[in-house]
Amino acid sequence: MAESFPMNGGDGTYSYAKNSHYQREATNVAKEMINEVIAEKLDVQSLIASSSNSFCIADLGCSVGPNTFFAMQNILEVVDKKYVTQGATSESLEFQVFFSDHASNDFNTLFASLPPSRKYFAAGVPGSFYGRLFPRSSLHLVHSSHALQWLSKVPEELLDKTSPAWNKGKINYTSSSDEVANAYAAQFQKDMKIFLNARAEEIVVGGMLVLIMAGLPDGIHRSKFPLGVFYDSLCSSLMDMVDAGLINESQVDSFNLPVYAATPKEITEVIKDIGCFSIERMEVADPRSKLGSSVNVPSLIMHFRAGLEDIFTKHFGCEVIDELFERTFLKEAEISSALESSYKKGNQLIVALKRE
């Protein structure tokens, strides 16, 4: 069973709905490439020939919105345009959109904010994408944005005190030993194979799988991953809390964030090993190009809280969360300085695959 790490629900101060515009801008970076590959590679007419003119899309890891609605609307418009250019009338094409995430996701907030003017039928599908979610050959296009960097679980070696990969005093792999990084990489490979095999069953031949996820270019060391700066800062805050007697050091030693940024080479290896998809496009993009030259560190910390509060709460308890992030806010200068020395030219992978 894959572990569940839902984003903060509702629409409060620390909710994902209120703290996810950086993810939206990062997704916008991929918009042009997604539009191009759909226009060039997707044969809409042949796909819907046996499906009563209905086109089925799934967004995996949809969270609570509103980003999923923007992404789905963009895809609908491109598919509809391609359908018209192939000589059909757009009025005859109907869309079904499946919004999927873990059962613990706040689907109530998601569906309460559905766009009233949407031109698609909407449904929710609870469950982990590390396994089957839909009937065989039932989907024409699957989209997933900023979700696949989440592993199904923490690599077991990280919690074994006798293992070279025991990650004592760290909560991620970016500044840890090679043994820790290799354990993360191996878990990613296992998870990605499960993910792709499941999608190969669900997507019709000729259908597409579009993925946007945290990543690094080939040859760039993991310590240069910008998000690692925030993981290290959170870890530093935890160790400060150990020194203050607020939590135990053993609690930190037994905690690891199951998040991994893959490289194009790693993704390509898994895709070729599965053998069910052709790689139509793969790019390493720079989300910072949409954010301007300066990064608002306090705002980013709020985004991290919206995305990570649940997993920290489950391990350390809800009573320490405010203290953890308040201490991290105080490290703004350190974080800004570290970000300046991190890799700036691309930390987002965009992958477009076609079902063979």
Side-chain angles (χ1 to χ4, degrees), residues 181-334:
N182 291 339
Y184 268 89
Q187 186 64 51
F188 174 81
Q189 293 276 335
K190 293 176 186 176
D191 288 344
M192 197 64 182
K193 286 180 181 179
I194 293 171
F195 176 88
L196 289 175
N197 275 319
R199 304 297 81 79
E201 293 284 338
E202 298 164 347
I203 300 173
V204 300
V205 172
M208 298 202 72
L209 174 59
V210 177
L211 309 174
I212 306 169
M213 56 198 295
L216 272 179
D218 295 320
I220 301 299
H221 194 267
R222 60 184 180 272
S223 62
K224 295 295 184 180
F225 183 49
L227 296 186
V229 171
F230 289 92
Y231 303 148
D232 288 344
S233 298
L234 287 165
C235 184
S236 176
S237 296
L238 288 171
M239 295 308 295
D240 291 344
M241 292 168 70
V242 169
D243 293 339
L246 299 174
I247 57 175
N248 298 320
E249 186 172 1
S250 61
Q251 288 179 281
V252 181
D253 292 342
S254 60
F255 178 77
N256 292 276
L257 288 170
V259 180
Y260 184 74
T263 64
K265 181 181 178 181
E266 289 175 304
I267 297 287
T268 300
E269 287 175 354
V270 180
I271 294 168
K272 289 184 176 180
D273 190 41
I274 295 298
C276 297
F277 294 94
S278 61
I279 301 174
E280 301 300 327
R281 293 279 291 274
M282 184 181 298
E283 296 180 3
V284 180
D286 179 18
R288 296 191 195 187
S289 64
K290 290 283 187 180
L291 303 177
S293 57
S294 61
V295 175
N296 186 324
V297 171
S299 178
L300 280 171
I301 293 174
M302 288 287 284
H303 278 59
F304 271 87
R305 178 164 182 167
L308 301 176
E309 181 169 344
D310 180 77
I311 190 172
F312 277 101
T313 298
K314 286 178 178 176
H315 188 84
F316 295 100
C318 60
E319 64 275 4
V320 306
I321 297 302
D322 287 340
E323 180 77 16
L324 169 62
F325 284 94
E326 285 170 8
R327 287 176 177 267
T328 306
F329 274 117
L330 296 177
K331 301 179 187 295
E332 177 181 351
E334 299 172 35

Side-chain angles (χ1 to χ4, degrees), residues 38-307:
I38 289 176
E40 295 171 5
K41 303 294 184 178
L42 193 68
D43 187 347
V44 180
Q45 277 199 317
S46 64
L47 287 179
I48 65 170
S50 59
S51 59
S52 303
N53 278 20
S54 63
F55 192 92
C56 296
I57 305 170
D59 189 27
L60 307 185
C62 63
S63 192
V64 298
N67 294 350
T68 183
F69 303 136
F70 293 122
M72 293 302 95
Q73 183 60 36
N74 177 63
I75 288 174
L76 260 66
E77 290 174 357
V78 178
V79 171
D80 203 26
K81 183 177 180 180
K82 177 63 181 290
Y83 185 56
V84 172
T85 60
Q86 288 185 306
T89 57
S90 60
E91 289 77 16
S92 61
L93 187 62
E94 292 188 317
F95 290 98
Q96 169 75 66
V97 176
F98 297 102
F99 297 96
S100 180
D101 212 314
H102 283 282
S104 54
N105 183 58
D106 185 3
F107 282 100
N108 287 334
T109 294
L110 176 72
F111 286 111
S113 54
L114 272 170
S117 60
R118 65 188 181 279
K119 296 181 179 180
Y120 54 85
F121 298 96
V125 179
S128 169
F129 52 48
Y130 291 124
R132 286 282 300 278
L133 290 165
F134 302 93
R136 184 174 288 108
S137 300
S138 61
L139 301 174
H140 300 108
L141 192 149
V142 173
H143 172 273
S144 182
S145 178
H146 300 99
L148 270 171
Q149 65 264 21
W150 285 95
L151 304 176
S152 65
K153 64 178 183 177
V154 171
E156 295 176 2
E157 306 95 306
L158 273 62
L159 305 178
D160 182 357
K161 293 182 180 180
T162 65
S163 169
W166 183 40
N167 204 22
K168 178 178 173 59
K170 302 284 187 179
I171 66 171
N172 194 244
Y173 72 97
T174 53
S175 60
S176 295
S177 66
D178 288 343
E179 289 81 4
V180 171
N182 291 339
Y184 268 89
Q187 186 64 51
F188 174 81
Q189 293 276 335
K190 293 176 186 176
D191 288 344
M192 197 64 182
K193 286 180 181 179
I194 293 171
F195 176 88
L196 289 175
N197 275 319
R199 304 297 81 79
E201 293 284 338
E202 298 164 347
I203 300 173
V204 300
V205 172
M208 298 202 72
L209 174 59
V210 177
L211 309 174
I212 306 169
M213 56 198 295
L216 272 179
D218 295 320
I220 301 299
H221 194 267
R222 60 184 180 272
S223 62
K224 295 295 184 180
F225 183 49
L227 296 186
V229 171
F230 289 92
Y231 303 148
D232 288 344
S233 298
L234 287 165
C235 184
S236 176
S237 296
L238 288 171
M239 295 308 295
D240 291 344
M241 292 168 70
V242 169
D243 293 339
L246 299 174
I247 57 175
N248 298 320
E249 186 172 1
S250 61
Q251 288 179 281
V252 181
D253 292 342
S254 60
F255 178 77
N256 292 276
L257 288 170
V259 180
Y260 184 74
T263 64
K265 181 181 178 181
E266 289 175 304
I267 297 287
T268 300
E269 287 175 354
V270 180
I271 294 168
K272 289 184 176 180
D273 190 41
I274 295 298
C276 297
F277 294 94
S278 61
I279 301 174
E280 301 300 327
R281 293 279 291 274
M282 184 181 298
E283 296 180 3
V284 180
D286 179 18
R288 296 191 195 187
S289 64
K290 290 283 187 180
L291 303 177
S293 57
S294 61
V295 175
N296 186 324
V297 171
S299 178
L300 280 171
I301 293 174
M302 288 287 284
H303 278 59
F304 271 87
R305 178 164 182 167

